[in-house]
């Protein structure tokens, strides 16, 4: 009798092993659920970041079309030459403001990233809308070159920080490359979009339509990019200070100088290639727009390619070699193709647009490799580092290059021509611009000298 009474109780009591198995199953299900949710979130972040490239960069990358329109339909008070710096100023202001914005939203204001991006959307939309009522060239510069750029930078900085954090553990360079490819899709399509709008509706209605595009796409995309969980509540902790140890690294300054040189030449063709095609090569207005689109189209492939090359473990190239391929190639193609172009030579100009566009557009995708190297150096020294802040500073030094290149471009365009080569593009008013673009691009490839020891080289020469 006692045995029959105890037996059902033993059957009803769950075993310890059964509890552990059930617990393990629940943990596995929860882990799989979190992993699936993380993958979906990362995909949304990537999609949102890709769509945002249109409202952020579409105007700056298509400015050559607008500059051509301003010259042909001049109704503003002031000097026409000032319009030549609006596009480069917009790029420069965006990049120069990024170090400060990245610093703000890396830690202390990380929980306000989406709100900041919405505020940036409002600023950009108001700026583009007010620019449609510009009567002086200085008002045009202020709205299109400065305030709209600040708004776009306020959209870009917090969302890009989140992109880097969601892909911090793997494929970060590739994720940057994919987003940069979307940027070049924008650069390829937007010139035709803006040209079509201007031809059909005029300048004022075009800027009104662009305002609506920027507002709608920005708000939709911003809410696809949530702040990473690791940053949501960091403002409540004491760990707010940004680690600045990387400023003692030689590699940071080495890469920064290279970025300045590369960026100072990169903005020149974007601004002047369309007007060169019309004024010097005697090509049609449509062809000038095509040049600008063809310039940006190869970057669709190039950004992903250079991002993949930076992350690739089979093709073992140093960070310096990968980051030098782009500027050195750009310098070579500038001298060979743009410099040697003749009147009506649409073929050689198209070749220049494709080759320069491919290698220059892929340069930013090599920054992922630069970040990895500085992160490894910090790990070896047992130093903390914030990759987002470092990426923001790289954007800042790129802004220095854009602004200096834009200012130099206006002066060089008025410097005259090179008498020794009047048959080719070097002998036109664009000759000094072409030389500046080629030389600055080549100097951007000086990172190949990373391991170069001049003292050792001199000793070897003396022994010969």
């Amino acid at each position: 009798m006692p045995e029959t009474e105890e037996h059902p109780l033993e059957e009803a009591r769950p075993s310890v092993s059964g509890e552990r198995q059930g617990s393990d199953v629940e943990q596995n299900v929860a882990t799989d659920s979190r992993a699936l949710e993380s993958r979906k979130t990362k995909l949304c972040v990537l999609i949102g970041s890709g769509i945002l490239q249109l409202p952020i960069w579409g105007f700056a990358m298509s400015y050559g079309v607008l500059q051509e329109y301003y010259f042909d339909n001049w109704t503003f008070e002031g000097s026409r030459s000032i319009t030549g710096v609006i596009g480069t100023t917009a790029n420069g202001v965006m990049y120069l403001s990024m170090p400060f914005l990245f610093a703000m939203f890396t830690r202390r204001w990380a929980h306000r990233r989406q709100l900041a991006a919405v505020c940036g959307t409002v600023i950009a939309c108001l700026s583009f809308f007010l620019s449609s009522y510009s009567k002086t060239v200085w008002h045009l510069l202020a709205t299109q070159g400065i305030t709209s750029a600040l708004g776009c930078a306020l959209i870009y900085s917090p969302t890009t920080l989140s992109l880097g954090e969601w892909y911090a553990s793997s494929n970060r360079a590739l994720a940057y490359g994919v987003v940069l490819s979307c940027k070049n899709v924008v650069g390829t399509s937007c010139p035709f979009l803006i040209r079509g709008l201007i031809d059909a509706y005029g300048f004022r209605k075009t800027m009104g339509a662009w305002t609506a595009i920027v507002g709608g796409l920005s708000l939709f995309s911003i809410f696809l990019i949530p702040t990473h969980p690791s940053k949501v509540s960091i403002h409540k902790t004491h760990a707010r200070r940004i680690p600045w140890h990387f400023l003692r690294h030689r590699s940071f300054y080495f890469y920064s100088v290279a970025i300045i040189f590369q960026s100072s030449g990169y903005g020149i063709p974007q601004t002047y290639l369309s007007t060169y095609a019309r004024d010097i090569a005697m090509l049609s207005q449509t062809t000038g727009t095509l040049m600008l689109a063809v310039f940006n189209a190869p970057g669709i492939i190039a950004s992903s390619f250079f991002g993949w090359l930076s992350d690739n473990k089979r093709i073992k190239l140093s960070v310096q070699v990968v980051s030098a391929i782009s500027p050195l190639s750009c310098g070579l193609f500038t001298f060979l193709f743009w410099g040697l172009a003749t009147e009506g030579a649409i073929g050689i100009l198209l070749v220049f647009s494709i080759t320069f566009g491919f290698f220059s557009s892929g340069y930013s995708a090599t920054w992922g490799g630069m970040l990895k190297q500085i992160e490894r150096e910090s790990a070896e020294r047992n130093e903390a580092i914030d990759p987002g802040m470092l990426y923001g500073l790289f954007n800042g030094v790129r802004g220095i290059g854009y602004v200096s290149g834009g200012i130099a471009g206006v002066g060089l365009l008025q410097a005259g021509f090179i008498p020794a080569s009047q048959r080719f593009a070097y002998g036109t008013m664009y000759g000094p611009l072409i030389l500046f673009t080629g030389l600055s691009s080549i100097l951007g490839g000086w990172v190949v000298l990373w391991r170069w020891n001049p003292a050792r080289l001199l000793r070897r020469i003396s022994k010969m």
Side-chain angles (χ1 to χ4, degrees):
M1 185 70 180
E3 292 181 1
T4 58
E5 289 178 354
E6 290 177 7
H7 186 67
L9 292 174
E10 289 178 359
E11 287 183 345
R13 188 184 297 122
S15 65
V16 175
S17 62
E19 288 180 351
R20 289 178 178 174
Q21 289 176 357
S23 175
D24 291 342
V25 170
E26 289 177 359
Q27 289 179 357
N28 291 335
V29 169
T31 302
D32 292 341
S33 176
R34 284 195 298 269
L36 181 61
E37 182 181 354
S38 177
R39 284 195 294 269
K40 287 182 178 179
T41 305
K42 289 172 72 173
L43 181 61
C44 287
V45 169
L46 193 63
I47 292 172
S49 299
I51 295 173
L52 273 178
Q53 303 310 298
L54 177 61
I56 293 172
W57 301 107
F59 176 82
M61 297 183 77
S62 307
Y63 178 73
V65 174
L66 284 166
Q67 187 192 15
E68 187 178 351
Y69 173 84
Y70 295 151
F71 265 69
D72 293 340
N73 304 271
W74 188 253
T75 59
F76 305 103
E77 298 176 8
S79 174
R80 291 192 184 192
S81 63
I82 295 175
T83 59
V85 301
I86 291 177
T88 51
T89 299
N91 278 308
V93 168
M94 286 182 66
Y95 283 115
L96 284 171
S97 61
M98 285 178 192
F100 305 101
L101 295 175
F102 272 66
M104 287 173 60
F105 297 108
T106 293
R107 292 173 181 264
R108 184 179 293 272
W109 300 102
H111 62 298
R112 301 294 188 190
R113 287 179 184 175
Q114 286 187 321
L115 177 61
V118 171
C119 292
T121 302
V122 173
I123 294 171
C125 288
L126 281 173
S127 300
F128 286 126
F129 181 74
L130 291 175
S131 73
S132 65
Y133 294 95
S134 297
K135 294 183 179 180
T136 67
V137 69
W138 290 106
H139 183 257
L140 205 64
L141 175 63
T143 52
Q144 293 185 350
I146 299 176
T147 56
S148 69
L150 288 172
C152 291
L154 197 52
I155 302 171
Y156 178 85
S157 299
T159 54
T160 301
L161 278 169
S162 295
L163 172 69
E165 288 161 2
W166 281 106
Y167 286 88
S169 58
S170 63
N171 298 326
R172 183 167 57 197
L174 183 58
Y176 284 147
V178 170
V179 172
L180 289 170
S181 293
C182 295
K183 176 182 175 182
N184 285 283
V185 171
V186 169
T188 305
S189 56
C190 266
F192 293 107
L193 172 63
I194 292 179
R195 170 61 64 189
L197 288 172
I198 286 179
D199 291 343
Y201 303 107
F203 170 68
R204 296 189 188 281
K205 290 185 178 179
T206 295
M207 295 314 301
W210 183 251
T211 300
I213 292 171
V214 170
L217 289 181
S218 295
L219 292 176
F220 171 76
S221 302
I222 288 167
F223 293 104
L224 286 178
I225 308 175
T227 305
H228 194 272
S230 63
K231 299 291 184 180
V232 171
S233 58
I234 195 170
H235 66 287
K236 298 178 181 178
T237 68
H238 295 289
R240 299 183 193 175
R241 292 185 179 179
I242 298 172
W244 297 101
H245 307 292
F246 64 85
L247 293 177
R248 297 196 295 261
H249 293 211
R250 170 173 167 254
S251 54
F252 170 73
Y253 300 99
F254 207 82
Y255 290 130
S256 295
V257 172
I259 291 171
I260 289 173
F261 280 125
Q262 191 273 342
S263 302
S264 62
Y266 174 57
I268 299 294
Q270 273 190 326
T271 302
Y272 294 103
L273 193 59
S274 180
T275 53
Y276 173 87
R278 184 197 62 184
D279 298 339
I280 306 300
M282 302 301 176
L283 301 175
S284 66
Q285 191 178 70
T286 303
T287 305
T289 305
L290 176 65
M291 289 291 175
L292 198 59
V294 170
F295 180 87
N296 291 304
I300 300 170
I301 302 171
S303 296
S304 296
F305 171 74
F306 278 100
W308 169 81
L309 197 61
S310 297
D311 274 341
N312 196 275
K313 296 180 181 178
R314 294 182 181 179
I315 304 175
K316 294 184 178 180
L317 296 175
S318 68
V319 179
Q320 295 78 37
V321 170
V322 173
S323 60
I325 291 173
S326 168
L328 291 176
S329 300
C330 288
L332 176 65
F333 295 135
T334 300
F335 290 132
L336 288 181
F337 297 138
W338 194 8
L340 297 178
T342 56
E343 183 178 327
I346 184 173
I348 196 169
L349 280 179
L350 284 173
V351 171
F352 167 72
S353 296
I354 293 170
T355 53
F356 190 97
F358 178 87
F359 286 98
S360 62
S361 299
Y363 183 70
S364 297
T366 66
W367 294 3
M370 300 178 189
L371 294 177
K372 281 185 177 180
Q373 178 183 334
I374 299 176
E375 284 178 314
R376 284 195 299 269
E377 293 174 359
S378 298
E380 291 170 358
R381 302 181 185 185
N382 197 27
E383 296 173 348
I385 188 170
D386 193 314
M389 187 63 238
L390 186 56
Y391 188 78
L393 286 174
F394 279 164
N395 280 291
V397 296
R398 189 172 200 183
I400 296 173
Y402 266 118
V403 171
S404 59
I407 295 172
V410 173
L412 290 170
L413 196 61
Q414 300 172 350
F417 57 89
I418 303 172
S421 55
Q422 294 184 8
R423 180 183 174 186
F424 302 107
Y426 292 116
T428 68
M429 61 184 295
Y430 289 86
L433 272 178
I434 296 169
L435 286 176
F436 175 83
T437 302
L439 288 173
S440 59
S441 297
I442 287 176
L443 289 172
W446 84 305
V447 288
V448 294
L449 302 178
W450 175 262
R451 301 292 183 185
W452 184 59
N453 190 327
R456 184 182 300 173
L457 180 63
L458 290 173
R459 284 197 298 268
R460 287 182 179 179
I461 293 174
S462 63
K463 292 179 182 179
M464 293 177 62

